[in-house]
Amino acid sequence: MQSSGLRGGVAVLLGAALLVGCATAAKPTVPDNAAGAGATVDSAGQGGTSQVAGGSGSLSQVRRYQSTASVGDFIEVEIDKQARTITYNNRTNGQSASAVPYTLDDRGVYVITADPNAHLQRAIELDGYALIMDVAKAGPNKDSRALAIGATTQPISIADLNGHAMTMMQFRTSNGGMEVGNVRTHVSDRMLAVDAQSYWPLGASSRGDTAFHLGGPGSLQLDEVSGAADYLTITESRNGHTSTAYIFKTGQGLAIDMNNGNMVMVDQPQSTAFDPSSAGLYHALIYQKRNSRRVSEGQVEPGTAEVFEVEVAINDQGHLGMKRDGATVEDVDLIPVSEADYLTGPNKLDASRCAGLFTYRKPVGAGFQDVFVVFMGHGMLVSSFTPSDQNAGEYQYFYGAAIKQP
């Protein structure tokens, strides 16, 4: 099911019949050959790190991550640093593999060439914090390229959803690929109230559509939950179709994996101004689709998709420079979204709710390229939408996640 802005994301969660449950993630099994004969896995409680005892008595660190792919796949990953293997379980489309060997290139990128499913391609990691993966054969039909954004596995409970003011980016492989905005949450008496605002660039470039989705408060009825768990599940029911969405914690917020993509939400800072501590060099994986065109719901969006690496440099004034293979592809000054009058005001985003979201806009033909950036501790999210300046109705977009280099 493809979305039309938040109507396929948050609005589905608000308008559908939902059941929210709490589940402890089944740990992907690390086989004996990953840690020696008779190996055992002892979870460290917080889920992010396990001590794996090998037959020789040696210890190695095993990192556990949960990730959400932009085509709607929830993927659990274990990385055994000593054995140099990756074990994963895609809970959405059923693909899994154990003890897949990897190598590290001279940039520290995980290169995965022996996955029997050809699912995981490569990854970049901030050890024990975040994992960003290039995945192929993703989605329900196992035929899509996508970007998976993950965080170290940690417990979550319904109470963790209460009282958040978050900046949001939504990623998918259809309907313009991305949108940005903010989310407010509140939990009371088993009810989760959600108030979301978003800007949808494709809607801004399409006649008869809306660029802004300003859904009022909506409520989700929660099942009784006891204790903490690795993720929460939401049963989505729409037009007779049922699917499962997954919610998990990240280092600075929450992520939702939905059947049509994902949503990454970052707790907002107090100030809308750029924080110089975010300056630095970032290494990113970017998903890009070119020559795209909007299609009817249920149809596959055309276009050429690829995933590639870029370097992003941010100076202490908020200037962004992006390079791919040494060539500059972006070189701009970021401004707070709260100061962009074309994005905020009556019937637009509320400027007082846009802290932590930055943008720049430049003319392209008869339209504009919109680029958005969110900083989150040791990482960064970036997204862009550009209408074609030659073929009416065509567009391209990219989005990605980056890890700050030491």
Side-chain angles (χ1 to χ4, degrees), residues 48-112:
T49 304
S50 300
Q51 296 289 337
V52 180
S56 63
S58 62
L59 292 177
S60 67
Q61 293 294 316
V62 172
R63 305 290 190 246
R64 294 184 54 236
Y65 298 96
Q66 296 176 121
S67 64
T68 171
S70 53
V71 73
D73 286 2
F74 180 57
I75 309 170
E76 299 165 313
V77 178
E78 262 189 13
I79 301 177
D80 187 323
K81 300 282 188 168
Q82 181 176 352
R84 292 208 167 194
T85 60
I86 294 179
T87 294
Y88 69 87
N89 177 31
N90 185 325
R91 286 185 171 269
T92 305
N93 70 13
Q95 295 187 97
S96 63
S98 298
V100 178
Y102 67 80
T103 59
L104 294 172
D105 68 12
D106 57 2
R107 299 290 312 282
V109 176
Y110 289 79
V111 180
I112 308 157

Side-chain angles (χ1 to χ4, degrees), residues 54-334:
S56 63
S58 62
L59 292 177
S60 67
Q61 293 294 316
V62 172
R63 305 290 190 246
R64 294 184 54 236
Y65 298 96
Q66 296 176 121
S67 64
T68 171
S70 53
V71 73
D73 286 2
F74 180 57
I75 309 170
E76 299 165 313
V77 178
E78 262 189 13
I79 301 177
D80 187 323
K81 300 282 188 168
Q82 181 176 352
R84 292 208 167 194
T85 60
I86 294 179
T87 294
Y88 69 87
N89 177 31
N90 185 325
R91 286 185 171 269
T92 305
N93 70 13
Q95 295 187 97
S96 63
S98 298
V100 178
Y102 67 80
T103 59
L104 294 172
D105 68 12
D106 57 2
R107 299 290 312 282
V109 176
Y110 289 79
V111 180
I112 308 157
T113 59
D115 180 357
N117 303 310
H119 187 30
L120 306 191
Q121 301 288 302
R122 56 183 158 170
I124 56 178
E125 177 194 29
L126 181 58
D127 196 8
Y129 183 82
L131 183 71
I132 306 164
M133 298 185 295
D134 172 9
V135 294
K137 298 188 176 180
N141 297 323
K142 304 176 184 178
D143 59 357
S144 297
R145 192 74 173 269
L147 186 74
I149 299 172
T152 186
T153 302
Q154 54 188 306
I156 188 172
S157 68
I158 293 298
D160 292 324
L161 306 182
N162 185 48
H164 285 273
M166 296 177 287
T167 296
M168 174 273 291
M169 282 196 180
Q170 186 178 3
F171 304 135
R172 49 185 177 263
T173 59
S174 62
N175 273 338
M178 50 75 65
E179 57 191 282
V180 300
N182 57 74
V183 177
R184 298 289 187 270
T185 64
H186 177 70
V187 175
S188 177
D189 192 24
R190 300 185 185 180
M191 298 297 294
L192 173 64
V194 179
D195 181 7
Q197 301 179 345
S198 76
Y199 171 67
W200 182 35
L202 177 58
S205 68
S206 302
R207 286 185 178 179
D209 226 318
T210 177
F212 297 93
H213 298 131
L214 308 176
S219 296
L220 306 178
Q221 183 174 349
L222 308 179
D223 284 341
E224 183 177 358
V225 177
S226 60
D230 296 333
Y231 59 83
L232 303 174
T233 60
I234 299 176
T235 300
E236 301 180 69
S237 297
R238 186 186 186 195
N239 299 329
H241 176 73
T242 300
S243 62
T244 299
Y246 297 85
I247 305 177
F248 60 93
K249 291 171 69 174
T250 64
Q252 287 189 298
L254 301 166
I256 304 178
D257 180 87
M258 302 171 289
N259 70 334
N260 66 326
N262 59 34
M263 186 180 299
V264 182
M265 297 167 285
V266 180
D267 288 323
Q268 291 182 333
Q270 293 296 313
S271 173
T272 61
F274 175 76
D275 183 350
S277 68
S278 297
L281 183 64
Y282 294 78
H283 187 197
L285 281 178
I286 299 291
Y287 172 95
Q288 178 177 264
K289 183 180 278 189
R290 294 175 288 109
N291 305 319
S292 300
R293 184 178 291 273
R294 192 174 179 185
V295 294
S296 301
E297 184 171 341
Q299 295 182 321
V300 176
E301 180 188 65
T304 302
E306 62 176 331
V307 176
F308 52 86
E309 299 173 48
V310 300
E311 296 294 330
V312 182
I314 306 290
N315 72 12
D316 58 6
Q317 300 298 311
H319 180 86
L320 179 148
M322 181 182 294
K323 292 185 177 182
R324 179 183 181 185
D325 297 328
T328 298
V329 293
E330 300 292 350
D331 187 32
V332 298
D333 292 317
L334 297 174

